[in-house]
C-alpha cells in the first residue's frame, strides 16, 4: 500500500479537493489517500460547500471527509506528503524529526512546474471561480502524480 497525504491550512478547501481528486484516479487496493490541515481551526468539519460543489461537477463526492490536524505520526504513516503552499511547507517541515521525514514533503504544483515552487492559492476568501481554478490545477497535478505512482 502506498499512502499519500494532502495538506493545507484549514483542511476544508484545498487539501480536501486534492484528496478527493487523487483518490478518484487511484486503485484503492494499492493506494490510500488522506488529507490534513496544519491548523486545528476546522477540526471535525466537512469540506467547504464550494469545494464540495466543484468536485461534484466532476463526479466526485467528498462529503464524507472531516477536517483533522496534521500530526507527527503522519510522517510514519505516509510515503508522500503534498502541501499546497510555502507556509504549509514550513509548518510541516518544522515538525519533521529527521531528513527522511523532510524528504517526503513536496509542494504539489512542483509536479506540474518542477522547482518553480508555485503555490495553490487559498480560495477561502475568494469567490466561486477561485475554486474552479484550484480544481483545475489540482486535477493536472494529480494526473502527473498518478502517472508517476503507476510506474
Ligand atoms: P484551506 O483554506 O487551507 O485551503 O482549507 C482555509 C480554510 C480556512 C482558513 C484558512 C484557510 N481559516 O483561517 O479558517
Amino acid at each position: 500500500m502506498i499512502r499519500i497525504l494532502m495538506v493545507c491550512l484549514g483542511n476544508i478547501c484545498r487539501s480536501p479537493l486534492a484528496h478527493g481528486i487523487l483518490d478518484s484516479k487511484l486503485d484503492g487496493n494499492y493506494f490510500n489517500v488522506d488529507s490534513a490541515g496544519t491548523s486545528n481551526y476546522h477540526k471535525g468539519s466537512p469540506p467547504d460547500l464550494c469545494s464540495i460543489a466543484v468536485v461534484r461537477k466532476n463526479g466526485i463526492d467528498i462529503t464524507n471527509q472531516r477536517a483533522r490536524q496534521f500530526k507527527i505520526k503522519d510522517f510514519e504513516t505516509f510515503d508522500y506528503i503534498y502541501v499546497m503552499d510555502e507556509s504549509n511547507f514550513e509548518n510541516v517541515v518544522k515538525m519533521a524529526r529527521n531528513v527522511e521525514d523532510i524528504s517526503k514533503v513536496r509542494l504539489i504544483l512542483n509536479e506540474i512546474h518542477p522547482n518553480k515552487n508555485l503555490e495553490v492559492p487559498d480560495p477561502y476568501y475568494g469567490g466561486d471561480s477561485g475554486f474552479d481554478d484550484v480544481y483545475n490545477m489540482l486535477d493536472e497535478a494529480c494526473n502527473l502524480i498518478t502517472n508517476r505512482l503507476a510506474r
Side-chain angles (χ1 to χ4, degrees), residues 100-118:
E100 194 194 341
D101 285 354
I102 295 175
S103 73
K104 294 182 174 182
V105 190
R106 293 141 190 232
L107 276 168
I108 193 165
L109 291 188
N110 277 349
E111 294 293 317
I112 314 174
H113 309 284
N115 305 315
K116 291 263 162 62
N117 296 341
L118 298 180

Side-chain angles (χ1 to χ4, degrees), residues 37-99:
T38 57
S39 75
N40 66 357
Y41 302 157
H42 297 277
K43 192 178 162 196
S45 298
D48 187 277
L49 291 176
C50 295
S51 287
I52 289 175
V54 77
V55 282
R56 185 180 287 147
K57 279 197 275 186
N58 295 277
I60 300 169
D61 180 8
I62 59 169
T63 53
N64 287 335
Q65 292 187 27
R66 293 295 175 268
R68 72 168 179 90
Q69 189 168 20
F70 180 83
K71 52 183 191 282
I72 289 175
K73 183 107 194 335
D74 288 325
F75 286 116
E76 279 165 38
T77 307
F78 294 94
D79 304 292
Y80 300 94
I81 299 170
Y82 286 104
V83 298
M84 303 296 132
D85 63 32
E86 299 263 18
S87 139
N88 306 150
F89 188 90
E90 278 170 28
N91 286 323
V92 169
V93 163
K94 248 191 321 211
M95 293 169 71
R97 302 155 305 174
N98 51 48
V99 287

Side-chain angles (χ1 to χ4, degrees), residues 7-26:
V7 176
C8 64
L9 174 60
N11 193 206
I12 55 165
C13 295
R14 294 165 295 173
S15 61
L17 287 179
H19 173 176
I21 292 167
L22 186 62
D23 200 37
S24 76
K25 297 177 191 290
L26 294 174

